[in-house]
Amino acid sequence: MSEVDSLLIDATTKIFEDLSDPQTLNSAATDDWRSALWSALEESGLTLAWVPADNGGSGASLADGFSILELAGKFAAPIPLGETLLAGWLLSRSNVECPSGMMTVAPTRPRDKIQMTEDNRLVGEAFGIPFGNLAEYIVVLAYKEEVPHISLVSGKDCIIKGNPGLSGDGRDTITFSNTTPIKIAPAPDNFSGQEFCIMGATIRSMQISGALQSILKLATDYAQERVAFEKQISKFQAVQHNLAKLASETAVAIAAAGSAMDTINTATQYNELVFFEVSSAKIRTGEAVGEAAAIAHQVHGAIGFTEEHILHRYTQRLWDWRDDFGSESEWAVELGEMVAERGADELWPLLTAR
Amino acid sequence: MSQAIQFDPIRLPPEAEELRLEVRDFLSEEIANGGFDPHRTIMKSGFDREFSKRVGARGWIGMTWPKKYGGHERSFLERYVVTEEFRSQNAPVTSHFTADRQSGPVLLKYAEEHIKEDILPKITAGDCCFCIGLSEPNSGSDLFAASTKATRTDGGYLINGTKLWTSNAHQAEYMIGLFRTSPPTKENRRHGLTQFLVNLKQPGITVNPVRNMAGKHDFNEVLFEDLFIPDDHLLGEVDSAWKQATSELAYERSGPERFLETFYVLPELVRVIGQKPDARAAEGIGRLVAQLHTLRRMSVSVNGMLQAGKEPVIEGSIVKDVGTIWEQSLPAKARDLAAFVDDTPSNRSNFDELLQYATNIAPKLTIQGGTTEVLRGIIARGLGLR
Ligand SMILES: Cc1cc2nc3c(=O)[nH]c(=O)nc-3n(C[C@H](O)[C@H](O)[C@H](O)COP(=O)(O)OP(=O)(O)OC[C@H]3O[C@@H](n4cnc5c(N)ncnc54)[C@H](O)[C@@H]3O)c2cc1C
C-alpha cells in the first residue's frame, strides 16, 4: 500500500471547502469562483502534482495525486484538475516541458484516433473532450505511422465545437485539421498508447468513488431530515434498503478504484494485470454510478430534481465520468475478449494473480 | 453516517501465495488420483470425511487457532487462500467447513477448557462435523422468536422442541444450538436465549431429512425430546446469546464462499463461448469478471482488515449482500450469454448440466445465513438509520 501525504490531503480539503463548496458554486451568479479555485490549486502546486520538481512541478507521488482527485470527486469540483494532472504526467514522461494553466487531453474515447502527418501536423477528430473549450492547452496522443507521439497543442489552434455534456463542464468535439502543435515528442519507450486510457480510467474511477461517497452522505442525511407520514423517511424500510444498496455500490466503487489505483502506484510496467485491475475498476465504478445515482435521486424526491439542489452537481458529473476514457461496455468487451482468448482454464489464475 | 466505509487495497502476502501453490498441488493430486471428483461434489454431496482428514493432516483446518488446540496460528489471509482454492475446485469441504469457519471460533471464545481440549483437535484433524441450530419452524429471520426450550434440571438442562433447516445435522457429531432459557423481557425481546454445545450422538434427538428442490438432502428437521445437556456444555452467558453473535459475523459474512457458490458456471461459459466471442458475449463475460474481481478484492480487504484487528462489520455485510446477489444472478446471466451457442450436445452438455444445477440452487443463496432483507437492515443500522 502506498502512503498518502496527509498534510497534503488536509491542505487540499481546505482549498475545496473554501473555494469549491457545491452549495456556494450552485448559487453563484457568475463563474468567478473558477479562477479563484484554480489559482489556489495552482499556487499549492496541485495542478502540476505529477510533474517532477526538476520540470517545474511539485513531484507528488501517483498515490497523492489520485487521492487529491478522489477529494475533487467528493466536492464535484468543476475544473479540469484530473485532466491537467494527466496532461502533466504525459508531457513529463515524454520529457516535454509543462506549461501552467488549465489543460485537457485528447482523445478520451477509445475509438478516436488522431494521426500525425509526416511534417508533424495533427489530423483527426476527438469527441467528448472534457473541458475542451475551457482548457488553454490540449495534450494529444497522436500516431505518426503507428508510432505514438505526445504533443502539446494550444486550444486556439483547433476547431472546437461546444457540447455541454450532462454536467455543463463540456464534452466538446475537437477537430484537428493540420494543426501545428507547440511541442512534440515521441511517447516514452514501451508506451503503447493504452497507458493513456488506463491512467484516465483510473482517474475517473477515483473521482467516481469520491462523488459516490458524497451522494451517500447527502442521501442518508436527507432521509433523516425529511418527514413524511409523520416519520423521518429514513424509518421506512423501503428507504433503508435503498440506502443500503447505495452504500453497497459506493463500497464497490471504493474497493474497485482503490485497488486499481494501488496497482498503478506500484506497477513497474503496464502489463495484463494492470489492464485487468483498471478495466475492472472502470466497469464496476461505472455500473455503480447508474444504480447509486438513481437511488440518491429517488430518496431526494422532487427537490433533488431541481437546479437549486446540489445533488445534480454530483450525479451529472458521475454520468459524464462513466463515459470518459472508455465506458463500462467498451472496457467490458476488451476484458471479455482477453478472458476468452486466454481460455476457461486461465480464468481462475487471472482472478487470483494477486 | 456513523463511520465512513473503508476498503483498504489489501494484497495477499507472499506466504499466502506460496501456500496457494501447495494447495493447488494438493488439489490436482487429489483429483488425479480420484480423491474427489469436482463434478460429483456439485451435483451429489460435498461431504467426504476421508477428504477432510487429509485436509486436516495438511494443517488446513483451524489454521488461525492456537497451536495448543491443534490449530496452526496462521493468518486469516492464509486461510483465505485455502478457502478460495478449495471452492474454485469444488472440493468436498462440507464435513469440516462449518466447524472451521464458525463453530470452532465460538468454542474458542466461550467453551470450557476441557471441552476445547477435547473437541478442537478433532476438528482440526478433519474428524468432526458441526451443524448450526438456529432456525425453527416459527423462527427464521427473527431469531429471537426461537422457542425450543432448555429447562433447568439436576446438573444441566433438558431440551425440548424443533430446529429446522439444519444443514448436515444428519452427518454432524455436534450442533451449536440456540435455546430458550427464559422468556423475553418487556425491555429486551432478545433476552432469554442461550447457546449450547449439543452432542448429537445420543438419545433424545431425531433427525428427519428435508429434501430440497434440487433433489438433494442437505438440511434437516431436528427434534429434541428431553435431551440432557450437562452444565459444562453451556456456551457463554445464560440468557445473553444476543450479545455473543456480533463480532464473529464479519468473518462469517465476508469469506469467498459468499460469492463463489455458483462460480463453476463461469469458466464453463467461457469455454462454450470460445476464444473469439462476439461483442455481446465479450461484454457480458467482461462485466461478470470485473464484478467478480471487485468482490474478491472487497473480501480480501475485509479479511485483511480483520487480521489487522479492525472491525469491518458493515463492510462484511456489504460483501455478503453484493456477493450473494452476484452468485445468484450468475446462472441467469450465463444463460442469456450462451443463448446463441450451438446446440450440438458435445458443445454444451457439460455447461447445460452445471447451469441447470446452479439455476435450481440459486434461490437459496440470498436466504441461507440471513436473507438479503436482513442484511440490508444491518447495513442500514451501520449507516445510522435505525
Ligand atoms: C439452504 C439452506 C440452508 C440452511 N441451513 C441452516 C442451518 O444450517 N441452520 C439454521 O439454523 N438455519 C439454516 N437455514 C435457515 C435460514 O437461516 C433461514 O431460512 C433464514 O434465516 C430465513 O428464515 P425463514 O426461512 O424462516 O424466512 P422468514 O424469516 O420467514 O422470511 C421470509 C421472507 O420475509 C422476509 N422478512 C422476514 N423478516 C423481515 C423483516 N423484518 N423485514 C423485511 N423482510 C423480512 C425475509 O427476508 C424473506 O424474504 C438454511 C436455509 C437454507 C435455505
Side-chain angles (χ1 to χ4, degrees), chain B residues 48 63 73 77 91 102 111 113 194 202 205 238 261 330 338 345 363:
Chain B
D48 183 341
M63 288 177 72
E73 298 180 8
L77 292 172
Q102 261 167 287
E113 188 58 31
T194 307
Q202 54 175 325
I205 299 174
V238 177
E261 196 155 339
L330 175 60

Side-chain angles (χ1 to χ4, degrees), chain A residues 224 235 240-241 243 245 251 255 259 262-263 276-277 287 329 332 336 340-341 344-345 348 351-352 354, chain B residues 7 11 24 84-85 88 267 271 274-276 282-283 286-287 291 293 296-298 373 376 384-386:
Chain A
Q224 287 165 293
K235 299 297 166 203
Q240 289 175 355
H241 286 193
L243 290 172
K245 189 85 197 116
S259 183
D262 178 68
T263 304
F276 177 52
E277 285 273 356
E287 290 178 343
S329 297
E341 172 76 37
D345 298 326
W348 183 251
L351 284 163
T352 54
R354 29 203 315 247
Chain B
F7 282 93
R11 308 290 167 194
R24 283 189 181 163
E84 72 174 357
E85 287 297 325
S88 78
R271 209 182 307 282
Q275 287 191 302
K276 295 267 167 261
E283 178 178 359
R287 283 184 189 256
Q291 290 157 357
H293 165 71
R296 179 171 177 277
R297 292 265 63 106
M298 294 169 83
E373 289 75 12
R376 293 204 176 150
L385 302 176
R386 37 190 305 246

Side-chain angles (χ1 to χ4, degrees), chain A residues 324-335:
Chain A
D324 296 336
F325 302 104
S327 67
E328 305 90 281
S329 297
E330 288 167 310
W331 281 108
V333 168
E334 272 199 56
L335 177 56

Side-chain angles (χ1 to χ4, degrees), chain A residues 46-102:
Chain A
L46 293 168
T47 55
L48 298 181
W50 282 340
V51 175
D54 297 352
N55 296 6
S58 56
S61 67
L62 285 175
D64 285 342
F66 283 124
S67 302
I68 291 167
L69 293 172
E70 182 183 19
L71 263 182
K74 284 188 182 167
F75 286 86
I79 37 156
L81 186 59
E83 294 76 0
T84 301
L85 253 63
L86 178 54
W89 181 80
L90 285 162
L91 291 174
S92 307
R93 287 198 36 165
S94 317
N95 294 316
V96 176
E97 204 187 309
C98 199
S100 63
M102 292 183 190

Side-chain angles (χ1 to χ4, degrees), chain B residues 13 30 53 155 191 200 235 248 277 297 313 335 383:
Chain B
E30 281 282 328
K53 286 185 190 167
H191 175 86
L200 293 172
L235 299 172
E248 286 109 44
R297 292 265 63 106
V313 176
R335 170 181 172 270
L383 293 173

Side-chain angles (χ1 to χ4, degrees), chain B residues 138-209:
Chain B
N138 294 313
S139 165
S141 300
D142 185 9
L143 273 179
F144 303 107
S147 65
T148 298
K149 267 212 175 89
T151 320
R152 203 84 186 85
T153 184
D154 251 7
Y157 293 82
L158 285 179
I159 312 296
N160 282 285
T162 306
K163 290 289 171 187
L164 193 56
W165 321 126
T166 322
S167 301
N168 304 313
H170 57 303
Q171 291 160 317
E173 277 82 9
Y174 292 98
M175 167 192 283
I176 290 183
L178 184 71
F179 305 126
R180 183 156 294 288
T181 35
S182 305
T185 57
K186 266 217 179 93
E187 304 73 51
N188 185 1
R189 64 184 296 270
R190 300 183 293 182
H191 175 86
L193 293 167
T194 307
Q195 272 187 300
F196 289 91
L197 171 67
V198 187
N199 179 352
L200 293 172
K201 304 292 178 202
Q202 54 175 325
I205 299 174
T206 314
V207 178
N208 296 319

Side-chain angles (χ1 to χ4, degrees), chain A:
Chain A
M1 229 187 308
S2 8
E3 290 298 318
V4 172
D5 181 344
S6 63
L7 285 179
L8 180 74
I9 295 304
D10 291 347
T12 315
T13 307
K14 179 90 174 62
I15 294 177
F16 283 131
E17 277 171 357
D18 292 347
L19 299 169
S20 186
D21 171 56
Q23 192 62 64
T24 312
L25 267 51
N26 208 41
S27 350
T30 67
D31 276 357
D32 293 348
W33 51 263
R34 187 174 276 127
S35 54
L37 171 59
W38 189 261
S39 310
L41 292 168
E42 213 160 43
E43 276 158 29
S44 312
L46 293 168
T47 55
L48 298 181
W50 282 340
V51 175
D54 297 352
N55 296 6
S58 56
S61 67
L62 285 175
D64 285 342
F66 283 124
S67 302
I68 291 167
L69 293 172
E70 182 183 19
L71 263 182
K74 284 188 182 167
F75 286 86
I79 37 156
L81 186 59
E83 294 76 0
T84 301
L85 253 63
L86 178 54
W89 181 80
L90 285 162
L91 291 174
S92 307
R93 287 198 36 165
S94 317
N95 294 316
V96 176
E97 204 187 309
C98 199
S100 63
M102 292 183 190
M103 294 189 274
T104 190
V105 294
T108 56
R109 306 262 151 122
R111 272 166 299 174
D112 296 346
K113 203 168 178 186
I114 310 300
Q115 303 292 344
M116 188 177 281
T117 60
E118 225 161 76
D119 56 349
N120 294 341
R121 286 158 184 274
L122 301 179
V123 178
E125 216 168 11
F127 297 92
I129 300 303
F131 301 97
N133 250 324
L134 189 69
E136 223 170 308
Y137 301 100
I138 306 154
V139 170
V140 182
L141 169 71
Y143 291 84
K144 187 176 186 176
E145 287 174 355
E146 297 306 311
V147 181
H149 282 68
I150 302 294
S151 59
L152 179 69
V153 179
S154 166
K156 294 192 203 94
D157 296 336
C158 322
I159 305 160
I160 302 181
K161 188 163 157 270
N163 166 16
L166 289 147
S167 62
D169 287 344
R171 288 295 180 277
D172 307 312
T173 303
I174 302 190
T175 308
F176 303 96
S177 50
N178 284 311
T179 308
T180 310
I182 302 170
K183 284 174 188 158
I184 299 173
D189 284 352
N190 304 324
F191 193 95
S192 71
Q194 207 189 22
E195 294 85 346
F196 184 95
C197 245
I198 284 204
M199 278 298 278
T202 310
I203 287 171
R204 286 299 187 255
S205 299
M206 289 303 291
Q207 288 172 300
I208 288 173
S209 163
L212 289 180
Q213 292 170 57
S214 293
I215 66 171
L216 172 61
K217 175 144 180 33
L218 280 179
T220 45
D221 286 352
Y222 183 72
Q224 287 165 293
E225 286 160 20
R226 176 70 179 168
V227 171
F229 300 95
E230 297 164 6
K231 285 204 270 191
Q232 296 169 328
I233 58 167
S234 65
K235 299 297 166 203
F236 294 108
Q237 195 184 52
V239 174
Q240 289 175 355
H241 286 193
N242 260 339
L243 290 172
K245 189 85 197 116
L246 171 53
S248 292
E249 290 300 299
T250 303
V252 163
I254 293 171
S259 183
M261 166 187 92
D262 178 68
T263 304
I264 296 252
N265 290 345
T266 52
T268 48
Q269 53 167 342
Y270 282 17
N271 54 17
E272 214 171 43
L273 276 182
V274 173
F275 167 79
F276 177 52
E277 285 273 356
V278 172
S279 59
S280 295
K282 190 63 170 49
I283 292 166
R284 201 56 191 85
T285 55
E287 290 178 343
V289 165
E291 180 108 28
I295 292 173
H297 275 290
Q298 188 65 21
V299 169
H300 277 85
I303 193 78
F305 189 59
T306 61
E307 190 172 57
E308 191 187 336
H309 197 280
I310 60 167
L311 180 60
H312 66 82
R313 298 192 73 81
Y314 290 97
T315 53
Q316 290 170 324
R317 286 191 174 81
L318 284 164
W319 292 323
D320 271 340
W321 291 337
R322 67 177 172 179
D323 284 339
D324 296 336
F325 302 104
S327 67
E328 305 90 281
S329 297
E330 288 167 310
W331 281 108
V333 168
E334 272 199 56
L335 177 56
E337 282 172 355
M338 174 181 121
V339 168
E341 172 76 37
R342 291 168 54 107
D345 298 326
E346 287 304 310
L347 174 58
W348 183 251
L350 175 70
L351 284 163
T352 54
R354 29 203 315 247

